[in-house]
mmCIF file of all heavy atoms in Angstrom:
data_model
loop_
_atom_site.group_PDB
_atom_site.id
_atom_site.type_symbol
_atom_site.label_atom_id
_atom_site.label_comp_id
_atom_site.label_asym_id
_atom_site.label_seq_id
_atom_site.Cartn_x
_atom_site.Cartn_y
_atom_site.Cartn_z
ATOM 1 N N ALA A 1 -17.849 1.130 10.059
ATOM 2 C CA ALA A 1 -17.416 1.770 11.307
ATOM 3 C C ALA A 1 -16.065 2.503 11.145
ATOM 4 O O ALA A 1 -15.727 3.302 12.030
ATOM 5 C CB ALA A 1 -17.255 0.688 12.399
ATOM 6 N N ASP A 2 -15.414 2.364 9.994
ATOM 7 C CA ASP A 2 -14.131 2.986 9.798
ATOM 8 C C ASP A 2 -14.280 4.497 9.582
ATOM 9 O O ASP A 2 -14.920 4.913 8.635
ATOM 10 C CB ASP A 2 -13.427 2.336 8.595
ATOM 11 C CG ASP A 2 -11.996 2.770 8.471
ATOM 12 O OD1 ASP A 2 -11.775 3.951 8.071
ATOM 13 O OD2 ASP A 2 -11.087 1.991 8.746
ATOM 14 N N SER A 3 -13.681 5.289 10.422
ATOM 15 C CA SER A 3 -13.817 6.750 10.347
ATOM 16 C C SER A 3 -13.197 7.310 9.062
ATOM 17 O O SER A 3 -13.646 8.339 8.564
ATOM 18 C CB SER A 3 -13.213 7.412 11.579
ATOM 19 O OG SER A 3 -11.813 7.146 11.671
ATOM 20 N N GLU A 4 -12.172 6.653 8.529
ATOM 21 C CA GLU A 4 -11.511 7.151 7.307
ATOM 22 C C GLU A 4 -12.395 6.978 6.084
ATOM 23 O O GLU A 4 -12.229 7.706 5.084
ATOM 24 C CB GLU A 4 -10.166 6.417 7.071
ATOM 25 C CG GLU A 4 -9.122 6.713 8.110
ATOM 26 C CD GLU A 4 -8.598 8.166 7.974
ATOM 27 O OE1 GLU A 4 -8.405 8.626 6.848
ATOM 28 O OE2 GLU A 4 -8.343 8.761 9.019
ATOM 29 N N LEU A 5 -13.343 6.027 6.126
ATOM 30 C CA LEU A 5 -14.175 5.782 4.980
ATOM 31 C C LEU A 5 -15.555 6.435 5.114
ATOM 32 O O LEU A 5 -16.269 6.588 4.128
ATOM 33 C CB LEU A 5 -14.382 4.256 4.796
ATOM 34 C CG LEU A 5 -13.152 3.515 4.319
ATOM 35 C CD1 LEU A 5 -13.438 2.019 4.359
ATOM 36 C CD2 LEU A 5 -12.728 3.976 2.950
ATOM 37 N N ARG A 6 -15.905 6.824 6.350
ATOM 38 C CA ARG A 6 -17.216 7.460 6.579
ATOM 39 C C ARG A 6 -17.411 8.652 5.675
ATOM 40 O O ARG A 6 -16.594 9.558 5.601
ATOM 41 C CB ARG A 6 -17.350 7.853 8.039
ATOM 42 C CG ARG A 6 -18.774 8.114 8.452
ATOM 43 C CD ARG A 6 -18.955 8.198 9.963
ATOM 44 N NE ARG A 6 -18.627 6.906 10.572
ATOM 45 C CZ ARG A 6 -17.759 6.779 11.553
ATOM 46 N NH1 ARG A 6 -17.082 7.790 12.014
ATOM 47 N NH2 ARG A 6 -17.520 5.577 12.077
ATOM 48 N N GLY A 7 -18.506 8.635 4.909
ATOM 49 C CA GLY A 7 -18.798 9.697 4.009
ATOM 50 C C GLY A 7 -18.107 9.628 2.647
ATOM 51 O O GLY A 7 -18.376 10.371 1.719
ATOM 52 N N ARG A 8 -17.154 8.696 2.538
ATOM 53 C CA ARG A 8 -16.396 8.552 1.278
ATOM 54 C C ARG A 8 -16.706 7.252 0.549
ATOM 55 O O ARG A 8 -16.256 7.036 -0.566
ATOM 56 C CB ARG A 8 -14.878 8.495 1.573
ATOM 57 C CG ARG A 8 -14.353 9.811 2.110
ATOM 58 C CD ARG A 8 -12.882 9.645 2.276
ATOM 59 N NE ARG A 8 -12.244 10.793 2.843
ATOM 60 C CZ ARG A 8 -10.984 10.852 3.117
ATOM 61 N NH1 ARG A 8 -10.180 9.821 2.904
ATOM 62 N NH2 ARG A 8 -10.487 11.960 3.668
ATOM 63 N N ALA A 9 -17.483 6.357 1.197
ATOM 64 C CA ALA A 9 -17.722 5.052 0.614
ATOM 65 C C ALA A 9 -19.176 4.596 0.853
ATOM 66 O O ALA A 9 -19.731 4.832 1.930
ATOM 67 C CB ALA A 9 -16.781 4.005 1.165
ATOM 68 N N ARG A 10 -19.723 3.907 -0.129
ATOM 69 C CA ARG A 10 -21.007 3.229 0.030
ATOM 70 C C ARG A 10 -20.705 1.724 0.031
ATOM 71 O O ARG A 10 -20.123 1.221 -0.962
ATOM 72 C CB ARG A 10 -21.960 3.623 -1.101
ATOM 73 C CG ARG A 10 -23.392 3.176 -0.885
ATOM 74 C CD ARG A 10 -24.323 3.697 -1.940
ATOM 75 N NE ARG A 10 -24.030 3.130 -3.239
ATOM 76 C CZ ARG A 10 -23.776 3.831 -4.330
ATOM 77 N NH1 ARG A 10 -23.739 5.149 -4.308
ATOM 78 N NH2 ARG A 10 -23.514 3.229 -5.483
ATOM 79 N N VAL A 11 -21.073 1.064 1.067
ATOM 80 C CA VAL A 11 -20.730 -0.361 1.267
ATOM 81 C C VAL A 11 -21.987 -1.205 1.271
ATOM 82 O O VAL A 11 -22.967 -0.856 1.926
ATOM 83 C CB VAL A 11 -19.955 -0.538 2.595
ATOM 84 C CG1 VAL A 11 -19.542 -1.983 2.791
ATOM 85 C CG2 VAL A 11 -18.770 0.403 2.710
ATOM 86 N N SER A 12 -21.968 -2.318 0.520
ATOM 87 C CA SER A 12 -23.098 -3.254 0.512
ATOM 88 C C SER A 12 -22.548 -4.690 0.341
ATOM 89 O O SER A 12 -21.448 -4.883 -0.097
ATOM 90 C CB SER A 12 -24.097 -2.916 -0.580
ATOM 91 O OG SER A 12 -23.479 -2.993 -1.864
ATOM 92 N N THR A 13 -23.373 -5.636 0.704
ATOM 93 C CA THR A 13 -23.039 -7.043 0.541
ATOM 94 C C THR A 13 -23.898 -7.646 -0.578
ATOM 95 O O THR A 13 -24.964 -7.099 -0.861
ATOM 96 C CB THR A 13 -23.205 -7.878 1.796
ATOM 97 O OG1 THR A 13 -24.580 -7.803 2.253
ATOM 98 C CG2 THR A 13 -22.264 -7.388 2.904
ATOM 99 N N GLY A 14 -23.458 -8.715 -1.165
ATOM 100 C CA GLY A 14 -24.216 -9.379 -2.223
ATOM 101 C C GLY A 14 -23.568 -10.709 -2.547
ATOM 102 O O GLY A 14 -22.710 -11.204 -1.854
ATOM 103 N N ALA A 15 -24.013 -11.237 -3.639
ATOM 104 C CA ALA A 15 -23.439 -12.511 -4.140
ATOM 105 C C ALA A 15 -22.964 -12.349 -5.561
ATOM 106 O O ALA A 15 -23.604 -11.632 -6.341
ATOM 107 C CB ALA A 15 -24.457 -13.634 -4.044
ATOM 108 N N GLN A 16 -21.842 -12.926 -5.859
ATOM 109 C CA GLN A 16 -21.285 -12.925 -7.206
ATOM 110 C C GLN A 16 -21.623 -14.234 -7.846
ATOM 111 O O GLN A 16 -21.334 -15.310 -7.298
ATOM 112 C CB GLN A 16 -19.760 -12.714 -7.118
ATOM 113 C CG GLN A 16 -19.069 -12.572 -8.414
ATOM 114 C CD GLN A 16 -17.602 -12.352 -8.214
ATOM 115 O OE1 GLN A 16 -17.017 -12.798 -7.245
ATOM 116 N NE2 GLN A 16 -16.993 -11.657 -9.173
ATOM 117 N N ARG A 17 -22.227 -14.205 -9.043
ATOM 118 C CA ARG A 17 -22.593 -15.430 -9.729
ATOM 119 C C ARG A 17 -21.313 -16.221 -10.093
ATOM 120 O O ARG A 17 -20.288 -15.619 -10.410
ATOM 121 C CB ARG A 17 -23.360 -15.121 -10.988
ATOM 122 C CG ARG A 17 -24.713 -14.538 -10.728
ATOM 123 C CD ARG A 17 -25.566 -14.814 -11.968
ATOM 124 N NE ARG A 17 -26.881 -14.232 -11.881
ATOM 125 C CZ ARG A 17 -27.883 -14.765 -11.188
ATOM 126 N NH1 ARG A 17 -27.710 -15.863 -10.508
ATOM 127 N NH2 ARG A 17 -29.079 -14.187 -11.185
ATOM 128 N N PRO A 18 -21.407 -17.551 -10.060
ATOM 129 C CA PRO A 18 -20.290 -18.367 -10.527
ATOM 130 C C PRO A 18 -20.005 -18.077 -11.997
ATOM 131 O O PRO A 18 -20.913 -17.808 -12.770
ATOM 132 C CB PRO A 18 -20.695 -19.785 -10.276
ATOM 133 C CG PRO A 18 -22.149 -19.765 -9.932
ATOM 134 C CD PRO A 18 -22.531 -18.375 -9.676
ATOM 135 N N ALA A 19 -18.758 -18.230 -12.395
ATOM 136 C CA ALA A 19 -18.360 -18.015 -13.782
ATOM 137 C C ALA A 19 -19.006 -19.076 -14.662
ATOM 138 O O ALA A 19 -19.349 -20.146 -14.181
ATOM 139 C CB ALA A 19 -16.848 -18.091 -13.899
ATOM 140 N N ALA A 20 -19.185 -18.781 -15.906
ATOM 141 C CA ALA A 20 -19.804 -19.722 -16.858
ATOM 142 C C ALA A 20 -19.028 -21.039 -16.829
ATOM 143 O O ALA A 20 -17.772 -21.042 -16.866
ATOM 144 C CB ALA A 20 -19.795 -19.126 -18.261
ATOM 145 N N GLY A 21 -19.728 -22.123 -16.753
ATOM 146 C CA GLY A 21 -19.105 -23.411 -16.770
ATOM 147 C C GLY A 21 -18.715 -23.945 -15.386
ATOM 148 O O GLY A 21 -18.261 -25.069 -15.254
ATOM 149 N N HIS A 22 -18.888 -23.119 -14.340
ATOM 150 C CA HIS A 22 -18.591 -23.551 -12.976
ATOM 151 C C HIS A 22 -19.875 -23.867 -12.218
ATOM 152 O O HIS A 22 -20.840 -23.156 -12.373
ATOM 153 C CB HIS A 22 -17.813 -22.465 -12.221
ATOM 154 C CG HIS A 22 -16.415 -22.320 -12.687
ATOM 155 N ND1 HIS A 22 -16.071 -21.530 -13.780
ATOM 156 C CD2 HIS A 22 -15.277 -22.830 -12.242
ATOM 157 C CE1 HIS A 22 -14.793 -21.603 -13.960
ATOM 158 N NE2 HIS A 22 -14.268 -22.386 -13.041
ATOM 159 N N MET A 23 -19.800 -24.957 -11.448
ATOM 160 C CA MET A 23 -20.953 -25.333 -10.662
ATOM 161 C C MET A 23 -20.725 -24.761 -9.267
ATOM 162 O O MET A 23 -19.689 -24.361 -8.862
ATOM 163 C CB MET A 23 -21.070 -26.854 -10.621
ATOM 164 C CG MET A 23 -21.358 -27.439 -11.986
ATOM 165 S SD MET A 23 -21.416 -29.218 -12.054
ATOM 166 C CE MET A 23 -21.668 -29.813 -10.434
ATOM 167 N N GLY A 24 -21.814 -24.734 -8.499
ATOM 168 C CA GLY A 24 -21.725 -24.326 -7.120
ATOM 169 C C GLY A 24 -22.277 -22.924 -6.873
ATOM 170 O O GLY A 24 -22.738 -22.231 -7.778
ATOM 171 N N ASP A 25 -22.266 -22.548 -5.600
ATOM 172 C CA ASP A 25 -22.821 -21.279 -5.196
ATOM 173 C C ASP A 25 -21.884 -20.165 -5.600
ATOM 174 O O ASP A 25 -20.686 -20.315 -5.726
ATOM 175 C CB ASP A 25 -23.028 -21.231 -3.696
ATOM 176 C CG ASP A 25 -24.025 -22.267 -3.206
ATOM 177 O OD1 ASP A 25 -24.933 -22.599 -3.992
ATOM 178 O OD2 ASP A 25 -23.932 -22.728 -2.059
ATOM 179 N N GLY A 26 -22.476 -18.967 -5.764
ATOM 180 C CA GLY A 26 -21.669 -17.804 -6.024
ATOM 181 C C GLY A 26 -20.926 -17.395 -4.790
ATOM 182 O O GLY A 26 -21.276 -17.762 -3.660
#
C-alpha cells in the first residue's frame, strides 16, 4: 500500500528454513 514503493518493489511472503543444527520452525 506504500505509494513510495509502488512500482519500485516486488513484495512476497515466505518461510526461511532454520539454520543447520537448529530445531524448530523456520
Side-chain angles (χ1 to χ4, degrees):
D2 189 288
S3 62
E4 293 290 320
L5 291 173
R6 196 167 295 125
R8 295 183 182 176
R10 190 173 67 236
V11 182
S12 61
T13 58
Q16 183 178 29
R17 292 203 183 282
H22 287 84
M23 296 176 19
D25 296 332

